[in-house]
Amino acid sequence: FNDAGCFQEDSVQVIVFEEDVALKDTTISVCADEPTFLNSGTKGIYLYEWEPATSLDDANSSNPIFTGLQDQTYTVNVMDSSGVCMLTRTVEVQVLPKPAINLTNDTLICTMEPILLSATSDDDLTFEWYADRGLSQEIGRGSFISLIPQEKTNVYYVRGVPADDQCIVVDSVRVDVFDKNIGLGDTLITSCSTAPIELNPGGDPDYLYTWEPATGLDDPNSHIPTATLEGSQRYGWTVT
């Protein structure tokens, strides 16, 4: 108030530096080479500096992402926006190794018949099998699974889950089934003398072809060879 009885109001904001909000954890366990946030749950009202910047996406973020293969120790400086208050802490990042899966090798089979796939590990894992990359179509559980693949290419995914649910690992196996319908669309082909013509326009590049004899062919091992002939020619072919 002044002598005339007039007054004016104003306000001042007091921010209390909350140490427990600035850094949630000082010891963090992460899985090898798996992107992991180091300081989730922070309010983002402070200024951060992580040293060194090794394996971090942003050393000035309140919640940087760590992606690495080795343990790392960080010194973290946290300041309020005015620079009056500062907190310095050490954050230990412990990298846990991902378990390894011994999986059936990629396989080519000649007929659509049952095939046994296996997944084992030196680690204590339980295995879940899926028919899709998104791991939404579960087809079995356990170290072994018997199934009948469909024609052409099949990819199956196995998810290895440790007892503590940390560092889950996913791998895949490809099973190709020989497609018996890859024969020539036409077995009698008419062309003009010396005019190049493709012999097998519907050939599948995933298979190995052998054409005999090689007479007049640009490539006797092509799935779509081009023939240039002056007269008639009979070819035999093998696909594997």
Side-chain angles (χ1 to χ4, degrees), residues 119-130:
T120 60
S121 176
D122 293 334
D123 299 285
D124 183 17
L125 302 179
T126 57
F127 297 101
E128 304 166 355
W129 296 84
Y130 296 87

Side-chain angles (χ1 to χ4, degrees), residues 122-144:
D122 293 334
D123 299 285
D124 183 17
L125 302 179
T126 57
F127 297 101
E128 304 166 355
W129 296 84
Y130 296 87
D132 65 310
R133 182 187 293 271
L135 307 182
S136 62
Q137 302 174 30
E138 184 174 330
I139 55 176
R141 295 196 174 200
S143 292
F144 301 94

Side-chain angles (χ1 to χ4, degrees), residues 69-177:
L69 299 173
Q70 297 180 339
D71 294 350
Q72 187 67 52
T73 300
Y74 295 102
T75 298
V76 187
N77 297 315
V78 186
M79 295 173 287
D80 70 304
S81 58
S82 66
V84 174
C85 300
M86 185 173 79
L87 167 72
T88 299
R89 288 288 186 272
T90 298
V91 174
E92 300 280 349
V93 178
Q94 300 174 348
V95 177
L96 306 176
K98 278 191 174 182
I101 295 179
N102 304 312
L103 191 60
T104 301
N105 293 329
D106 291 345
T107 303
L108 172 65
I109 58 178
C110 295
T111 58
M112 287 192 300
E113 58 187 19
I115 182 173
L116 184 67
L117 303 181
S118 68
T120 60
S121 176
D122 293 334
D123 299 285
D124 183 17
L125 302 179
T126 57
F127 297 101
E128 304 166 355
W129 296 84
Y130 296 87
D132 65 310
R133 182 187 293 271
L135 307 182
S136 62
Q137 302 174 30
E138 184 174 330
I139 55 176
R141 295 196 174 200
S143 292
F144 301 94
I145 183 173
S146 179
L147 45 80
I148 301 177
Q150 300 302 304
E151 282 188 341
K152 295 191 175 180
T153 299
N154 304 263
V155 180
Y156 303 101
Y157 299 85
V158 61
R159 184 173 181 258
V161 183
D164 60 5
D165 282 337
Q166 291 194 57
C167 299
I168 295 172
V169 61
V170 177
D171 205 344
S172 64
V173 56
R174 171 173 166 167
V175 179
D176 289 307
V177 180

